[in-house]
Amino acid sequence: HGTTQTMSNAAVIRIKPYHYIHVLDNNTNVTSVEVGPQTFTRMDHQTVTAGPNDMIMIPPRHYCIIQNPVVRDEDGDVVSDKNKQVVLRHGDEEIRFEQEPFPLYPGEKLYGKVAPLQVVAPNTAIRLRAIRDLDDKVAGDEWLFRGPGTYIPRVEVQVVEIVRATIIKPNQALRLRARKEFVDATEVVRQAGEEWIVRDAGAYLPDVNEEIRETVAAYVLTESKAIQLEAVQTFIDVFGVKRKAGEQWLVTFDDAETHIPDVYEKVVGEVRVTTLNSRQYCVVLDYVNEKTGKPVLGGRQLRVGERSFFLKPGERLENGIQAVHVLDSEEALLLRARERYIEEDEERLPGDRWMIYGPCDYVPPVQVEIVEKRRSIPLDENEGIYVRDIKTGQVRDVTGESYMLSPYEELWEKDLPEVVEELLGKDGRYQGLGQRGGRVGTRDRTRVVTYRTPHNSAIQIYDYKQKQARVVFGPELVMLGPEEQFTVLSLSGDVPKRPHQIKALALLLGPDFMTDVVVVETSDHARLSLKLSYNWHFDVDHENLESSESIFNVPDFVGDSCKAIASRVRGAVAAHSFDEFHKHSARLIREAVFGLTAEGKVKNRFHFPSNNLVITNIDIQSVEPVDQRTRDALQKSVQLAIEITTKSQEAAARHEAERREQEARGRLERQKIADEAEAERAKTELLRLQAQSAAVESTGQASAEARARAESSKIEGEAAVEQADLAAQAEKIRAEAELAQIKAKQETEIGHQRSLNELEISRARDLADIEAIKFKSIVDAIGADTLQSIAQAGPEMQARLLQGLGLKSFLITDGNSPINLFNTAN
């Protein structure tokens, strides 16, 4: 700034080559340009406003932007107005390229710096936008300047961005969308928002009206993989096939090795190839007709290997891939016709059933349904199955042969009561309620029910169809017919006996025993509880049908027999007293149950003719009183006997203990007398020693106490006297100190006040002298005449001023305080 100021004031300015200055003519207010080399002599009316500055130099392949450029005519000369001031295009810009160095005219500005021209590389472009109308473009139009090349800028064109080409690799494509309606590079008219695919590999430079949505990767297709496509809208695909909206189809390896989905194609998913070997087949539902290409809805098509195929859209497999049915000599297939068809000149109607027997392999046609695969059932002599004819409904059992069901036969399941299932799951013998649990295994209901009857037992089976029963004695294997059921025995159990405690299929024939508790009452009303055990067996003839069936006449032979025996026992006991029954209980009970012969002897059995049950013996295990008083009396008598025995033993023991105690007491008394004599001698010696010690102790203690009291009294007196002296001295010292302190304080205060008074008097005297001297000096300096003139100056001046103004009197006020003018006038 200092240099510029110096140059503007200099009279002579030497301008170097390629430099210039701006000179302002103050008379015309016109600024001109002076270009070097020259020596410029500044006139008085001229002012250098800028420079010297370097000219603008634009090297080759460079440019610069000039703001507010000058106007030039057709010859390129600068245009000036009538005042010779250069004419500027204000607010405009001009781009200048390689040329000779030039100065900036007044008003022109360099925008930015001199910059090199932009070089556009291959596979790139500059996106340009017109900001003014030019040539065939209007403001707002956009286009591309594609490389390689050098872009020459223009003020009418704005650089928006640099666009780089997108590389389309093999098996890739670009998905484009039109920004507005235009004609693309392939001369195809594109509508705004339209999308399409560019599949050509290489670099692709999108047009300004094209927008890249995404890069689409191709699906690689193999012989085992295809893709399923769906049309989003109606269009013609790359294979030239017209696809309707919603239509689905497959693209396989036979169509193309790779496939790039079109914009109107949606990939539903990948489809794997379905491969069948020579031993497999499948049934395709809703298959597509190869000729028409349309799906046959509801249709079924059989496909047998070896082959590979893709399931087309809408097709599905019924039960997946199935193996060819291979049958051996003991197997067969039960078939049923779905619809009418002819097989080997034999017509099959819908619902017909027939069987294919092995050995063979079989692939069912679509008109045939496989109901089940059957195998010949080998049966031993002790095994069987229930077979039912589905036409007649008749059920029969088949045993002892290898049997294959016919087409209209099926296995029949035989149901048994739950209690029978539980008993068959165990060994079939008597089972108490507490032992009933889950079954052992699961029974095959189609097999003939078998039961191994134990040795020396019987089982009853009832045929509900023929309304008759049969009895089987063990050991024997029982096989139930279709309409036969076991007779379940429900027997009494527990002690005392309670009904329905035991469930069984087989009735044991004995010999065995059972136990029961019977409450009886004697003639003298003593109630007793008898625990009795009975030996029993069934007297049955296996060859006699009537005798065999009679053992099942009584459902609960245990409860029935126990009740009958208990009744006889109660009647016999009621006729005898407690003492008599207590002495002869076994005989009385046996007589009551078995009875007496004509000779008066007790019989050896008790027979029940209804079911041929025989009681052979009775064992009395216990007899206990039921009445509490009887039980107490019995316990008292037992306790009394025990007490008598115990007391006698106690008396003998006590006598022996007293004898031994007396002897010990005598020895103890003798020892005590001897010990007392020795103790007396020791006590005498102790008393003598204690008396001597007491005498010495009393004399010494009295002397010590008297001496101590006297010494204590003396010490207390002396201490009291000394304490009184010390107190008097202390009081005297305190009084003297207080007096001296008060005296000193008063003297100090008096001296201080005296000093203050003297200082105040001296100060007042000095001030009075100073004032007198000062006033005298002032008066002497001014003089008497001067004082007189000062006193007279104010009134005289006022009088002269009033005389000069012609006023006799006046009043000056500041305007804030009110003045009563009426009083002033007066």
Side-chain angles (χ1 to χ4, degrees):
H1 179 73
T3 304
T4 304
Q5 186 69 24
T6 302
M7 286 292 182
S8 63
N9 296 330
V12 178
I13 300 174
R14 294 176 176 84
I15 306 174
K16 297 179 181 180
Y18 301 113
H19 286 69
Y20 67 94
I21 62 173
H22 289 174
V23 179
L24 173 64
D25 190 335
N26 293 323
N27 294 332
T28 62
N29 281 329
V30 174
T31 303
S32 60
V33 177
E34 298 294 336
V35 181
Q38 67 166 310
T39 301
F40 177 73
T41 302
R42 183 181 64 84
M43 302 299 180
D44 291 340
H45 65 276
Q46 293 178 333
T47 304
V48 177
T49 58
N53 294 332
D54 294 336
M55 290 186 181
I56 306 300
M57 296 183 182
I58 303 177
R61 300 186 62 80
H62 285 66
Y63 74 99
C64 69
I65 300 175
I66 304 298
Q67 293 181 339
N68 305 322
V70 297
V71 178
R72 297 180 184 271
D73 56 14
E74 297 178 353
D75 298 331
D77 297 330
V78 178
V79 177
S80 302
D81 58 8
K82 61 182 179 179
N83 297 321
K84 297 184 178 181
Q85 176 70 45
V86 294
V87 180
L88 301 178
R89 290 183 290 163
H90 291 282
D92 200 356
E93 292 181 346
E94 183 181 72
I95 298 178
R96 298 177 184 176
F97 302 96
E98 176 186 359
Q99 56 180 291
E100 291 296 326
F102 61 90
L104 291 178
Y105 286 91
E108 289 185 333
K109 293 182 181 179
L110 176 64
Y111 179 75
K113 297 181 180 179
V114 177
L117 294 175
Q118 187 172 0
V119 177
V120 183
N123 295 331
T124 59
I126 299 178
R127 185 176 177 182
L128 304 176
R129 180 186 294 132
I131 57 178
R132 305 179 190 175
D133 295 343
L134 76 160
D135 302 336
D136 58 340
K137 302 288 192 304
V138 296
D141 282 351
E142 293 185 353
W143 67 96
L144 292 181
F145 179 84
R146 300 175 184 270
T150 303
Y151 172 66
I152 306 301
R154 300 182 61 175
V155 294
E156 298 88 354
V157 179
Q158 177 186 7
V159 176
V160 179
E161 62 178 349
I162 297 177
V163 180
R164 291 178 173 81
T166 301
I167 304 300
I168 303 177
K169 299 179 181 179
N171 296 330
Q172 283 187 345
L174 287 181
R175 185 172 182 174
L176 305 178
R177 183 170 63 183
R179 300 177 185 268
K180 65 177 183 178
E181 182 180 355
F182 78 108
V183 179
D184 65 2
T186 59
E187 302 301 328
V188 178
V189 178
R190 303 294 183 182
Q191 302 297 326
E194 181 182 354
E195 295 185 358
W196 67 98
I197 295 290
V198 176
R199 293 181 170 86
D200 298 332
Y204 183 80
L205 196 61
D207 192 79
V208 291
N209 298 317
E210 295 175 351
E211 176 187 358
I212 297 178
R213 293 295 307 280
E214 61 179 345
T215 300
V216 182
Y219 285 86
V220 179
L221 305 178
T222 63
E223 294 181 352
S224 61
K225 183 177 72 174
I227 58 173
Q228 181 176 344
L229 303 178
E230 181 180 358
V232 179
Q233 68 181 45
T234 303
F235 76 107
I236 298 176
D237 62 7
V238 293
F239 305 110
V241 180
K242 184 177 181 180
R243 304 293 184 182
K244 295 184 178 180
E247 180 182 354
Q248 293 187 357
W249 68 97
L250 289 183
V251 178
T252 63
F253 183 75
D254 297 336
D255 300 325
E257 294 182 359
T258 60
H259 182 72
I260 299 175
D262 199 82
V263 292
Y264 302 119
E265 293 176 352
K266 181 176 72 172
V267 178
V268 178
E270 294 183 354
V271 179
R272 292 290 176 178
V273 68
T274 302
T275 303
L276 302 177
N277 59 29
S278 59
R279 310 302 299 168
Q280 291 179 334
Y281 74 96
C282 66
V283 177
V284 180
L285 301 179
D286 302 333
Y287 66 93
V288 176
N289 192 315
E290 297 293 341
K291 297 181 180 180
T292 62
K294 302 297 181 182
V296 181
L297 299 179
R300 303 172 77 250
Q301 185 182 53
L302 176 64
R303 298 179 184 178
V304 183
E306 299 174 352
R307 65 181 298 183
S308 296
F309 60 91
F310 292 99
L311 286 177
K312 296 182 179 179
E315 292 183 342
R316 52 194 175 91
L317 294 181
E318 182 183 43
N319 301 326
I321 298 176
Q322 304 179 52
V324 174
H325 297 277
V326 179
L327 306 177
D328 61 20
S329 59
E330 299 297 327
E331 291 179 334
L333 288 178
L334 177 61
L335 307 179
R336 181 169 55 199
R338 295 177 180 268
E339 56 187 80
R340 180 181 176 275
Y341 85 108
I342 298 175
E343 180 185 20
E344 297 179 358
D345 299 332
E346 185 177 357
E347 183 180 5
R348 302 289 186 184
L349 298 178
D352 280 354
R353 296 162 65 104
W354 71 99
M355 296 182 69
I356 297 292
Y357 297 93
C360 67
D361 53 7
Y362 182 74
V363 177
V366 293
Q367 300 89 351
V368 176
E369 173 189 5
I370 298 178
V371 179
E372 63 179 357
K373 184 177 183 179
R374 290 182 175 179
R375 187 174 184 85
S376 178
I377 304 173
L379 301 174
D380 193 11
E381 294 181 357
N382 297 331
E383 295 178 330
I385 56 174
Y386 297 111
V387 178
R388 177 185 177 188
D389 191 325
I390 59 175
K391 286 186 175 181
T392 62
Q394 183 179 359
V395 180
R396 61 190 178 92
D397 54 343
V398 179
T399 60
E401 62 176 310
S402 181
Y403 188 76
M404 173 69 76
L405 295 175
S406 67
Y408 290 96
E409 286 183 345
E410 65 179 3
L411 293 176
W412 180 75
E413 293 185 355
K414 181 177 179 61
D415 293 328
L416 296 176
E418 183 179 358
V419 63
V420 176
E421 294 281 4
E422 292 182 3
L423 293 174
L424 287 177
K426 300 177 183 179
D427 60 357
R429 295 177 180 271
Y430 296 159
Q431 300 292 338
L433 285 179
Q435 296 176 326
R436 294 173 61 183
R439 301 168 185 166
V440 180
T442 303
R443 180 178 66 88
D444 185 358
R445 297 177 182 271
T446 62
R447 290 278 179 167
V448 170
V449 179
T450 60
Y451 178 71
R452 292 175 176 82
T453 307
H455 175 72
N456 197 26
S457 65
I459 185 171
Q460 187 181 42
I461 301 171
Y462 187 80
D463 190 333
Y464 285 90
K465 185 176 182 180
Q466 299 179 3
K467 306 294 184 181
Q468 64 181 9
R470 61 189 176 99
V471 178
V472 179
F473 292 94
E476 184 64 48
L477 179 67
V478 178
M479 302 179 70
L480 287 186
E483 305 298 336
E484 290 182 337
Q485 292 288 348
F486 291 107
T487 299
V488 181
L489 301 176
S490 180
L491 306 178
S492 298
D494 207 352
V495 179
K497 288 292 181 283
R498 291 185 298 162
H500 308 297
Q501 295 299 302
I502 299 174
K503 303 292 183 181
L505 296 179
L507 177 63
L508 299 181
L509 302 179
D512 204 342
F513 70 93
M514 52 187 174
T515 303
D516 192 13
V517 174
V518 180
V519 177
V520 298
E521 185 175 357
T522 61
S523 60
D524 52 358
H525 305 291
R527 302 186 68 223
L528 303 176
S529 175
L530 308 181
K531 187 174 184 181
L532 307 178
S533 182
Y534 318 126
N535 288 23
W536 59 270
H537 70 273
F538 282 98
D539 187 7
V540 58
D541 183 4
H542 293 185
E543 303 298 332
N544 189 344
L545 180 60
E546 183 178 356
S547 175
S548 300
E549 294 179 350
S550 65
I551 61 177
F552 291 96
N553 289 342
V554 179
D556 184 5
F557 77 93
V558 176
D560 183 70
S561 60
C562 288
K563 289 178 181 178
I565 294 173
S567 176
R568 292 193 175 195
V569 172
R570 290 192 191 96
V573 174
H576 299 81
S577 64
F578 173 74
D579 291 337
E580 185 179 356
F581 174 75
H582 192 65
K583 294 177 182 179
H584 310 287
S585 57
R587 182 176 59 82
L588 293 176
I589 292 175
R590 291 177 63 84
E591 288 179 356
V593 174
F594 296 124
L596 298 175
T597 62
E599 292 81 12
K601 296 182 179 180
V602 179
K603 296 180 181 180
N604 60 358
R605 57 184 295 169
F606 177 28
H607 181 259
F608 292 87
S610 59
N611 60 349
N612 292 325
L613 177 65
V614 178
I615 305 297
T616 58
N617 190 21
I618 296 179
D619 179 23
I620 305 174
Q621 295 183 349
S622 66
V623 178
E624 296 181 357
V626 177
D627 188 12
Q628 186 65 32
R629 291 178 298 175
T630 306
R631 184 182 290 112
D632 294 342
L634 192 59
Q635 289 179 354
K636 283 183 180 179
S637 62
V638 174
Q639 290 176 0
L640 183 60
I642 295 173
E643 286 180 1
I644 293 172
T645 304
T646 304
K647 286 182 179 180
S648 62
Q649 293 177 354
E650 287 179 354
R654 190 183 305 111
H655 179 70
E656 181 64 21
E658 289 178 355
R659 184 182 64 78
R660 293 181 180 181
E661 184 181 358
Q662 289 295 332
E663 292 178 356
R665 189 179 292 114
R667 290 195 297 272
L668 183 60
E669 289 294 334
R670 288 197 299 271
Q671 184 65 34
K672 187 187 292 185
I673 292 172
D675 292 341
E676 287 180 356
E678 184 64 28
E680 288 295 331
R681 287 194 295 272
K683 188 176 181 181
T684 302
E685 183 64 22
L686 177 62
L687 291 175
R688 186 178 64 78
L689 294 176
Q690 287 179 350
Q692 293 178 359
S693 176
V696 174
E697 183 180 356
S698 61
T699 303
Q701 183 177 1
S703 300
E705 289 179 356
R707 196 178 299 110
R709 282 197 295 272
E711 188 68 23
S712 175
S713 299
K714 179 180 178 183
I715 292 172
E716 288 179 357
E718 292 176 353
V721 172
E722 185 176 359
Q723 183 177 3
D725 292 341
L726 292 175
Q729 293 177 6
E731 185 65 27
K732 180 180 177 182
I733 292 170
R734 184 164 49 254
E736 290 177 354
E738 290 179 356
L739 180 61
Q741 184 178 4
I742 294 171
K743 183 177 179 181
K745 183 177 180 180
Q746 291 176 352
E747 290 176 354
T748 303
E749 291 178 354
I750 292 172
H752 179 67
Q753 189 64 34
R754 186 182 299 111
S755 299
L756 291 177
N757 294 338
E758 290 176 355
L759 289 173
E760 188 68 25
I761 294 171
S762 175
R763 179 172 173 274
R765 187 182 301 113
D766 293 341
L767 289 175
D769 293 342
I770 291 169
E771 289 294 330
I773 293 171
K774 178 181 178 183
F775 184 74
K776 183 175 181 301
S777 299
I778 292 172
V779 172
D780 292 341
I782 296 174
D785 296 336
T786 303
L787 292 175
Q788 182 179 0
S789 298
I790 291 171
Q792 295 175 357
E796 289 178 356
M797 183 179 292
Q798 293 176 359
R800 291 174 184 172
L801 181 60
L802 293 176
Q803 289 175 2
L805 296 175
L807 298 176
K808 295 182 179 181
S809 64
F810 65 93
L811 179 63
I812 299 174
T813 177
D814 57 2
N816 293 327
S817 301
I819 299 174
N820 191 346
L821 299 179
F822 294 101
N823 295 333
T824 304
N826 295 332

